Amino acid sequence: MEVIEDTLPDLNKFQLTSTAEICQSALILTQQKISERRTEQNKPLHLLSSDNTEEVTIQAITYIYYKSGSVFKNFTYLYHLTRNCKSRVDLMRIITNNAAAMPKHFMIKIGIAGTFTSDDLKLISKRTGKPEISDDCHIWEASPILCFQNDLSSESALAILLREKACHVIFVNSHFSCLKKEEADDPFIFVDLCKEQIKEAIAACLVVPLHRMLQEWFEVLKTKGPNELHSEILSEIQAIRKQLALCTSRKRSPSSVLPSNCTNSVIPDNVKEFLFRKPGVHSFGIWRYLTFKVFISKTADDESLKVELMKINEIFFSKYPLEIEKRKLMEKPTMKQGDPLLSKIPNEDENYKTGTLGGFVTCTKTDDARKIYALTCNHVFPFENQVAYTENAQGRIGFGNCVFTTRENSCDFAAIEIMETFLDNCDVAFRNTMKKKINARVYAENLENIGVVHKIGAQTNLTNGYILSSEYYDKLKDDNNREYIFLVKGMGKYFSDEGDSGSLVFSLRQNYVDVIGMVYANNPEVYEEESEDEKDNKNPHDLDGSQRQATANTSTSNDEKQYATTAKGHDAKNISFCYRIHTALQLFEENQGEDFSVKFRDDLSLSSSSTSDSSESDHSNEETH
């Protein structure tokens, strides 16, 4: 590599690369004020172009500021998840060094080493960044530096990066593929000249302080004594950490929208079959990703059950410690009158059931492309051919008919075919946590790696939660059923309430959402098992005599098994029962015929997706005070 000796010419006269585009961009930038200038790093470098024939003089580094939320929406989403968690951590007053400021609005500083064009800047954002900001603006602590190779040789471009002392350095290769791929200990991130890759790499740099912050909270909390609130916050921290990994992963997303036979059960078959056959077992499942909980009757022998289970699969229970409770969870359907999606109860003129229109799927057959189906719950639409109503200023209006409804395989699912006269009134695109349109895909894998989940319901609108049990079986509902459900716990409040039945549960990814399941019940009533004498003396319609909330054992990671503790009554709060949506859609497709298939809308271009900058206002980068 040939590097010409550094000089210090007049900064107003330095020349840039020979291309007209770069010269024009550089002339504009030299007229702007650059707020941060480091004497040594601002010396221009004289390097060779990629063909080793032309000397290229470049400015070492330029900083540009972007308003949070207007450009890096994925990072801003993760930031606010962590910020909300911090507010709950601060209330505990047990972390003395948690003074790091996390304001609602802040600026993100991006450094660019070497020359760049206006087209290069558009790969970061369509928004124009600011060359300087006021002193009272809060700047996020992670500040990635990018280097666009452009006309430089690979060696010269790398020389620029080696000169910078930044913690996060991204090399953007201008040719068809990256000149190398980074190793685990590589100080650089190498990406191609691709907007998606560049934004993913920037996001991966920006979230590093969030990772560190969450890890510090986790380490402090796990040293404290067992406490209900501690367990709750620890679980929330773990969920956010998983979400950080999901949203900043630079692996390409799978192309399959509805994969088949890929939902691998974590619980061994011999354990499941034993518990399904065992009298006195009400329900069982994985709890908080760590423990395995079994709910049994009051008269059952918990000690002998524990011995039997350990003999069946000792390896599984070494990973998921066994917890047995003499209680049962009873589901309370989430229905409330007066919400947008209503069904009329047969033979009752003025009685309506209410639920949530979870989302739309469309038929994939070309000749049936206009067929649209609204998804909701079976207990809202228990019969086929029921008319579905929505309510507006003109009163209740029928918009479709139930064409499929089922409670098979742990589902509580109904599909409403939209009337042709109502099709143009349907916006079939999925919405994310900002209510923006986004591509949606069915997630049919196991839930072990899912972090934070969301739902948009008719009653409680947008709520956040984490998966309390990723695999849960309820024998009380149907002891012949081998399909599992999953339980979601709200973060700070209920995940769902009456009227939210039918809400789709989803997880955010880079530029799409994974649709995981559907809410069908919430806030379980947990009853302690009664003796035979108590049953004989009790009014069969009285549910209050023996009501008692569940005992909950909580833990947070495989390193925290010793921290697991029983928190009575805690796990019974804010729980939503959900089933897997891919199971329901497969039943729907089988019912409708061999060539029938449906999907969520997944054909939005990146420019119209919520991760795009195209919908941002022109003033989105105004200074934040």
Side-chain angles (χ1 to χ4, degrees):
M1 176 182 70
E2 181 179 357
V3 180
I4 302 175
E5 183 181 359
D6 286 2
T7 60
L8 188 61
D10 184 349
L11 289 179
N12 291 322
K13 297 180 179 179
F14 74 89
Q15 57 177 336
L16 301 174
T17 56
S18 60
T19 64
E21 267 191 348
I22 300 177
C23 287
Q24 182 181 8
S25 176
L27 287 173
I28 295 172
L29 288 169
T30 53
Q31 295 171 359
Q32 300 176 346
K33 297 178 180 179
I34 305 301
S35 61
E36 183 172 336
R37 296 184 180 275
R38 292 176 293 178
T39 303
E40 186 63 29
Q41 290 187 331
N42 272 333
K43 288 182 179 180
L45 290 176
H46 300 268
L47 304 172
L48 293 181
S49 62
S50 56
D51 58 5
N52 290 330
T53 60
E54 182 180 356
E55 179 182 323
V56 181
T57 307
I58 63 171
Q59 187 71 16
I61 189 166
T62 300
Y63 285 104
I64 302 176
Y65 299 85
Y66 296 93
K67 185 178 179 182
S68 64
S70 64
V71 178
F72 307 105
K73 293 183 179 179
N74 196 41
F75 163 70
T76 305
Y77 157 73
L78 297 168
Y79 174 90
H80 284 291
L81 281 178
T82 308
R83 181 175 180 266
N84 292 337
C85 182
K86 180 179 185 297
S87 66
R88 289 182 277 278
V89 171
D90 289 343
L91 288 174
M92 300 169 69
R93 301 182 183 279
I94 60 174
I95 300 180
T96 56
N97 61 342
N98 200 31
M102 293 192 75
K104 184 176 181 179
H105 302 291
F106 57 94
M107 303 296 289
I108 295 171
K109 183 172 73 171
I110 304 293
I112 303 181
T115 59
F116 52 92
T117 69
S118 59
D119 287 339
D120 290 337
L121 292 180
K122 289 178 182 178
L123 294 174
I124 300 175
S125 172
K126 290 183 179 179
R127 295 282 136 223
T128 302
K130 291 180 175 295
E132 64 175 8
I133 55 174
S134 61
D135 294 338
D136 56 352
C137 283
H138 183 85
I139 301 174
W140 182 236
E141 59 181 282
S143 177
I145 292 180
L146 286 77
C147 178
F148 293 92
Q149 182 183 1
N150 290 327
D151 289 339
L152 292 175
S153 65
S154 298
E155 292 80 3
S156 296
L158 289 174
I160 298 174
L161 294 180
L162 288 170
R163 179 176 175 171
E164 303 304 328
K165 305 300 182 183
C167 298
H168 316 290
V169 182
I170 302 167
F171 179 88
V172 184
N173 183 51
S174 300
H175 305 299
F176 294 109
S177 61
C178 275
L179 68 155
K180 64 167 286 186
K181 301 297 180 184
E182 65 264 23
E183 305 295 336
D185 57 349
D186 204 313
F188 306 140
I189 297 176
F190 294 88
V191 298
D192 295 325
L193 195 65
C194 165
K195 181 174 183 177
E196 182 179 358
Q197 289 189 33
I198 292 172
K199 297 194 81 166
E200 287 175 0
I202 292 174
C205 297
L206 293 176
V207 300
V208 169
L210 300 182
H211 278 290
R212 183 178 65 250
M213 203 177 302
L214 291 165
Q215 180 64 27
E216 289 173 356
W217 300 344
F218 182 84
E219 294 298 329
V220 172
L221 283 170
K222 75 179 183 181
T223 62
K224 303 299 178 181
N227 176 284
E228 291 182 13
L229 183 57
H230 293 177
S231 299
E232 185 74 13
I233 297 298
L234 280 167
S235 296
E236 184 175 335
I237 289 172
Q238 286 293 78
I240 297 173
R241 289 168 73 179
K242 287 186 177 184
Q243 194 64 30
L244 285 174
L246 280 175
C247 285
T248 57
S249 171
R250 292 169 58 207
K251 295 180 180 179
R252 300 279 73 81
S253 59
S255 58
S256 175
V257 174
L258 208 124
S260 59
N261 301 323
C262 62
T263 308
N264 299 320
S265 174
V266 175
I267 303 173
D269 289 340
N270 59 350
V271 173
K272 287 190 292 186
E273 291 306 315
F274 172 80
L275 290 172
F276 273 116
R277 293 193 307 266
K278 186 72 173 177
V281 173
H282 296 319
S283 58
F284 57 91
I286 293 173
W287 218 251
R288 295 185 187 272
Y289 300 106
L290 176 63
T291 60
F292 184 80
K293 189 171 291 190
V294 182
F295 294 91
I296 64 175
S297 66
K298 190 174 183 179
T299 57
D301 187 343
D302 55 337
E303 290 299 326
S304 63
L305 177 61
K306 185 172 183 178
V307 172
E308 290 178 285
L309 284 171
M310 293 301 293
K311 288 181 179 178
I312 291 174
N313 200 314
E314 186 176 354
I315 295 176
F316 174 74
F317 291 112
S318 67
K319 182 177 180 180
Y320 296 92
L322 178 62
E323 299 172 358
I324 300 176
E325 298 182 12
K326 291 187 175 183
R327 288 173 174 80
K328 56 185 176 182
L329 299 181
M330 300 295 293
E331 301 167 6
K332 179 183 176 184
T334 57
M335 292 188 294
K336 182 180 180 297
Q337 304 246 347
D339 284 316
L341 189 149
L342 303 94
S343 68
K344 185 178 180 298
I345 299 176
N347 303 321
E348 297 186 29
D349 292 340
E350 298 300 326
N351 205 345
Y352 287 82
K353 288 184 178 180
T354 303
T356 293
L357 192 161
F360 294 96
V361 292
T362 57
C363 186
T364 59
K365 289 178 62 177
T366 305
D367 53 347
D368 289 334
R370 286 279 290 170
K371 284 193 174 183
I372 299 174
Y373 302 89
L375 308 184
T376 189
C377 276
N378 164 274
H379 70 257
V380 181
F381 289 88
F383 307 106
E384 291 185 2
N385 299 318
Q386 279 184 274
V387 177
Y389 296 89
T390 186
E391 200 164 41
N392 56 29
Q394 286 74 43
R396 295 189 183 102
I397 300 175
F399 66 86
N401 296 282
C402 180
V403 295
F404 177 73
T405 184
T406 185
R407 290 237 177 177
E408 292 183 65
N409 296 349
S410 293
C411 296
D412 186 336
F413 175 83
I416 312 297
E417 183 174 350
I418 306 301
M419 296 176 181
E420 187 171 355
T421 56
F422 211 84
L423 289 176
D424 292 335
N425 296 329
C426 297
D427 183 355
V428 300
F430 207 90
R431 303 284 174 163
N432 63 9
T433 56
M434 299 176 65
K435 306 294 182 68
K436 302 294 186 182
K437 295 180 181 181
I438 193 169
N439 288 324
R441 303 182 181 186
V442 173
Y443 185 85
E445 301 173 29
N446 69 57
L447 303 178
E448 288 291 297
N449 295 321
I450 295 296
V452 178
V453 295
H454 314 272
K455 76 102 187 70
I456 301 174
Q459 177 63 17
T460 56
N461 206 342
L462 173 68
T463 54
N464 308 326
Y466 61 87
I467 295 177
L468 176 68
S469 178
S470 58
E471 187 176 339
Y472 183 79
Y473 298 85
D474 192 346
K475 289 175 62 179
L476 291 174
K477 185 177 181 182
D478 182 357
D479 60 3
N480 292 318
N481 180 38
R482 295 299 189 267
E483 291 290 333
Y484 66 85
I485 60 175
F486 64 100
L487 308 181
V488 175
K489 192 167 181 65
M491 296 170 68
K493 60 180 181 179
Y494 285 173
F495 186 70
S496 67
D497 206 344
E498 294 182 3
D500 287 327
S501 289
S503 303
L504 290 170
V505 181
F506 62 94
S507 174
L508 284 180
R509 299 299 293 266
Q510 286 280 1
N511 53 10
Y512 64 95
V513 298
D514 282 325
V515 185
I516 298 168
M518 180 179 285
V519 174
Y520 71 92
N522 76 299
N523 297 335
E525 300 293 345
V526 184
Y527 297 89
E528 190 169 312
E529 192 68 16
E530 300 170 321
S531 66
E532 293 301 321
D533 290 340
E534 289 173 323
K535 290 179 181 178
D536 292 339
N537 296 327
K538 183 183 175 184
N539 183 328
H541 301 292
D542 180 16
L543 298 180
D544 296 325
S546 65
Q547 181 174 348
R548 187 171 180 179
Q549 290 182 313
T551 298
N553 278 295
T554 60
S555 187
T556 55
S557 71
N558 289 335
D559 296 330
E560 288 307 302
K561 291 178 182 177
Q562 74 277 8
Y563 190 82
T565 181
T566 298
K568 291 186 180 293
H570 196 58
D571 272 343
K573 300 175 182 177
N574 305 0
I575 294 177
S576 293
F577 284 74
C578 312
Y579 63 87
R580 297 300 300 272
I581 195 64
H582 73 278
T583 302
L585 291 178
Q586 287 172 354
L587 289 172
F588 180 33
E589 291 175 340
E590 291 168 3
N591 175 268
Q592 296 296 301
E594 183 177 352
D595 296 330
F596 181 84
S597 64
V598 293
K599 68 172 184 175
F600 293 101
R601 185 172 182 184
D602 66 343
D603 58 353
L604 291 171
S605 65
L606 288 179
S607 62
S608 61
S609 180
S610 66
T611 56
S612 169
D613 307 318
S614 60
S615 61
E616 298 157 11
S617 68
D618 292 335
H619 305 290
S620 60
N621 252 328
E622 290 180 356
E623 292 181 9
T624 305
H625 297 282

